Amino acid sequence: MSLLDDLGLSFKKSPEEKKIEETRKLIRQSEEKRNALLSALKEEEQKILESSDEVYKKMGNYIHSRIADVKSSGLMNDQMEVFVKIIEENKEKIVALAEKKDSINARYGEEIDILEASMPTQPKVEEKVENPRKKDCPNCGKANEADASFCGNCGTKL
């Protein structure tokens, strides 16, 4: 037996503490996966938005440079139709990405909820046992013998 065993102390984790630690690790891994997937989708979404912004700029420049042509053609021509089509496709892509994000949040949210529900409750920490042979001074906090009438440090009546 070791000295710690002789004193009744142990730094070994109980099965409940091991389960809690293992479950917390799984929760962290699940959260990391979810966050990585959502981050990748956000980057893809940002690229699509930037592409749409570029198309809007080109479309605006095109309209501005051809304002007379656009007016005489009833505001629409083949080039304008291409721009509108690209923007509509990008809108559809954004909607699909939003659905993917919702799905990822739901899936990993459920997984995390299940893991948290399966985690045993935290073991209670035992309260500090006071030494019955000592009395703390209410003034300075110094420990004194249980039968002392006055604090040996500051003289306050115990």
Side-chain angles (χ1 to χ4, degrees):
M1 293 190 103
S2 70
L3 175 63
L4 293 176
D5 290 334
D6 291 342
L7 294 173
L9 300 173
S10 174
F11 291 102
K12 294 179 184 176
K13 295 180 180 172
S14 70
E16 292 84 19
E17 290 171 319
K18 287 180 184 178
K19 176 70 175 165
I20 289 169
E21 187 176 286
E22 186 178 304
T23 304
R24 284 188 177 146
K25 182 179 177 183
L26 291 172
I27 290 170
R28 278 192 306 274
Q29 289 172 343
S30 186
E31 289 172 336
E32 288 169 4
K33 287 177 192 175
R34 176 191 61 195
N35 292 341
L37 289 169
L38 290 174
S39 179
L41 288 176
K42 188 169 182 77
E43 287 178 28
E44 187 176 342
E45 180 181 31
Q46 187 60 36
K47 288 177 186 177
I48 293 169
L49 291 172
E50 289 170 4
S51 171
S52 291
D53 287 345
E54 191 62 34
V55 171
Y56 279 123
K57 287 177 189 175
K58 287 179 182 178
M59 187 170 62
N61 289 335
Y62 178 78
I63 291 170
H64 182 70
S65 69
R66 307 274 185 161
I67 196 72
D69 294 340
V70 172
K71 285 181 180 178
S72 65
S73 70
L75 297 174
M76 193 59 110
N77 62 28
D78 292 343
Q79 187 65 41
M80 290 286 289
E81 287 180 26
V82 169
F83 290 143
V84 169
K85 182 179 177 185
I86 291 171
I87 290 170
E88 290 303 316
E89 288 172 355
N90 284 346
K91 284 181 181 178
E92 290 172 8
K93 290 177 185 176
I94 295 290
V95 168
L97 287 174
E99 290 171 357
K100 285 181 183 178
K101 286 194 288 187
D102 290 344
S103 173
I104 288 169
N105 273 325
R107 181 197 183 280
Y108 284 94
E110 288 173 9
E111 184 175 305
I112 290 166
D113 289 344
I114 290 167
L115 289 168
E116 287 175 341
S118 73
M119 190 171 15
T121 59
Q122 272 286 23
K124 293 184 180 178
V125 177
E126 293 182 26
E127 292 184 26
K128 179 182 169 185
V129 178
E130 294 186 27
N131 187 341
R133 290 181 253 150
K134 299 284 183 180
K135 229 192 300 196
D136 291 338
C137 174
N139 183 45
C140 70
K142 183 83 172 172
N144 294 277
E145 292 300 319
D147 60 347
S149 298
F150 296 92
C151 176
N153 185 51
C154 70
T156 300
K157 184 174 177 154
L158 302 175

